[in-house]
Amino acid sequence: MLSETGFGKSFHQGDSMSRRSVSLKVLAAHLNLAVGTVSRALNNYADISPATRARVRQAADELGYRPNQTARRLSMGTPETIGYIMPLHSASIAQPFIAQLLQGLGEALGKRQWDLLVAHAASPKDELAQIDKIVRSGRVGGLVISRPLKNDPRIRLMQDLKFPFVVHGRTASSDNYAWYDVDGEAAFVVAVDHLVSLGHSRIAFVGAPLQYQFAQDRLNGYRKAVATNGLTIDADLIQIAEFTDDGGEIATNILLDMAMPPTAIVCVSDTMAFGALAAIRAHGLTPGEDVSVIGYDGLKFGEHANPPLTTMAQPQAHAGRRLGDMLLAIIDGDDPSDHQELQRAHLLRRKTDGPLHLAKVQDDVSSREELQ
């Protein structure tokens, strides 16, 4: 999928040249200059005087000249297209996480009139082959990679190919490449601390497969906060599931069927939290009253959950813009290791976090004991 943006101004209604395209040849004739001189002026060649460059740009703006992007790229040897490798287990770009990220990435590229190519692979092996093919084809000038593994072969491949790239997230070792990330460990410390402040002591964690570094980071934050708050780390309260809403629902069902169920749950993503909310309602309980839930991502459609989802928010559109700016700077010659940015998530309270209802918990436990 290509996202294309044009540039240049439209003709004024009164212009004699309005309603027809202005080519480079027409622009050169209008200025009484050679076509090559006009082309070099538009591309800021040093052998064209500043006065001539300014005159050409002014005329191009006034007449609404639009460069032929294909010809320009061929002449400069630069694709002016960035590739985004959609993470595995992301069914479509319609997913809010992906859509918001692509929105910001497109905005960053649009400032330079670059295009966006989105690719999706069916398996890790296919993904590596696709990356290699895209890079060697010369169709893109750089790549954005998402959801890195702890030890990610995609990053090793990009480094071997010596091709510009930036990663949304980090691996276990991330010193020698460009990345943008949000501190997942710190976010889950904040989430657990908040629930403890509301009186909760039996707090569960619903997480994603731990081959993903982000999943490990968030679990580390949960464990750290449980320990520093003087609580016991109960392995049964840690449920690792498929990284989907169904996975979140299955994991939460397991938690709620325990003899001593949790009174609060932190989820590795908003998507998994939506599954948790469904499981809580299916058990005849009310999220935010009987069981508190905190997600992670800050997706806008969390406002429309039942009830609206409390979450650790990270702005995906901003992440996309930063990734685009970083990658363009690297393509322009910056050292990738100079572009490493760690941001903080913030607690966005809606309606799914609330104080511990001890009486309700005791009633639930008593009912279970009577049934046994």
Side-chain angles (χ1 to χ4, degrees), residues 141-197:
L143 284 177
V144 178
I145 295 173
S146 278
R147 289 185 189 155
L149 305 174
K150 292 177 180 177
N151 185 11
D152 202 307
R154 297 173 299 173
I155 293 174
R156 293 197 302 273
L157 174 61
M158 296 297 297
Q159 290 173 327
D160 289 343
L161 292 170
K162 295 180 172 55
F163 195 73
F165 73 99
V166 65
V167 181
H168 184 209
R170 291 169 291 164
T171 54
S173 177
S174 55
D175 296 335
N176 59 350
Y177 62 86
W179 51 263
Y180 172 95
D181 199 9
V182 177
D183 194 335
E185 180 174 329
F188 275 73
V189 169
V190 170
V192 172
D193 285 351
H194 172 67
L195 292 169
V196 171
S197 75

Side-chain angles (χ1 to χ4, degrees), residues 112-127:
R112 291 267 295 267
Q113 289 80 49
W114 282 50
D115 296 331
L116 178 62
L117 172 70
V118 178
H120 184 259
S123 69
K125 183 177 179 181
D126 182 49
E127 187 173 21

Side-chain angles (χ1 to χ4, degrees), residues 47-334:
D47 60 344
I48 305 298
S49 71
T52 300
R53 276 183 271 163
R55 179 184 166 215
V56 170
R57 283 195 296 269
Q58 180 180 350
D61 287 343
E62 290 174 352
L63 298 180
Y65 167 72
R66 295 174 182 268
N68 182 314
Q69 290 282 66
T70 301
R72 179 173 180 267
R73 291 167 188 176
L74 288 173
S75 67
M76 296 181 68
T78 304
E80 292 191 353
T81 298
I82 293 301
Y84 173 74
I85 307 300
M86 193 157 24
L88 294 173
H89 312 301
S90 297
S92 77
I93 61 173
Q95 287 193 358
F97 175 91
I98 301 296
Q100 291 180 25
L101 188 70
L102 290 180
Q103 174 192 337
L105 188 55
E107 289 172 2
L109 300 181
K111 292 184 294 185
R112 291 267 295 267
Q113 289 80 49
W114 282 50
D115 296 331
L116 178 62
L117 172 70
V118 178
H120 184 259
S123 69
K125 183 177 179 181
D126 182 49
E127 187 173 21
L128 288 172
Q130 192 169 51
I131 289 173
D132 186 74
K133 179 181 177 181
I134 290 173
V135 170
R136 295 183 188 280
S137 73
R139 296 165 61 194
V140 300
L143 284 177
V144 178
I145 295 173
S146 278
R147 289 185 189 155
L149 305 174
K150 292 177 180 177
N151 185 11
D152 202 307
R154 297 173 299 173
I155 293 174
R156 293 197 302 273
L157 174 61
M158 296 297 297
Q159 290 173 327
D160 289 343
L161 292 170
K162 295 180 172 55
F163 195 73
F165 73 99
V166 65
V167 181
H168 184 209
R170 291 169 291 164
T171 54
S173 177
S174 55
D175 296 335
N176 59 350
Y177 62 86
W179 51 263
Y180 172 95
D181 199 9
V182 177
D183 194 335
E185 180 174 329
F188 275 73
V189 169
V190 170
V192 172
D193 285 351
H194 172 67
L195 292 169
V196 171
S197 75
L198 294 175
H200 296 278
S201 59
R202 195 155 174 80
I203 303 168
F205 175 89
V206 170
L210 296 179
Q211 68 261 36
Y212 294 108
Q213 185 61 43
F214 75 84
Q216 184 66 63
D217 290 341
R218 296 170 201 180
L219 176 57
N220 291 346
Y222 164 82
R223 285 175 167 159
K224 179 178 180 180
V226 169
T228 55
N229 279 288
L231 306 177
T232 301
I233 298 177
D234 184 343
D236 290 337
L237 290 178
I238 299 173
Q239 294 293 323
I240 306 301
E242 182 182 352
F243 191 40
T244 62
D245 53 348
D246 287 341
E249 184 173 5
I250 291 168
T252 303
N253 280 327
I254 293 171
L255 292 167
L256 295 179
D257 287 338
M258 295 172 64
M260 284 289 291
T263 62
I265 302 171
V266 290
C267 297
V268 79
S269 72
D270 285 353
T271 299
M272 296 193 82
F274 295 138
L277 297 183
I280 292 168
R281 291 192 298 268
H283 276 72
L285 302 172
T286 302
E289 295 181 13
D290 302 320
V291 183
S292 288
V293 176
I294 298 179
Y296 181 99
D297 277 331
L299 299 179
K300 187 169 178 58
F301 74 79
E303 297 175 358
H304 307 293
N306 180 23
L309 178 67
T310 295
T311 182
M312 296 302 300
Q314 53 160 333
Q316 294 302 329
H318 172 74
R321 286 191 291 271
R322 291 298 301 129
L323 288 164
D325 289 342
M326 286 178 175
L327 185 50
L328 289 171
I330 292 166
I331 292 170
D332 287 342
D334 280 12

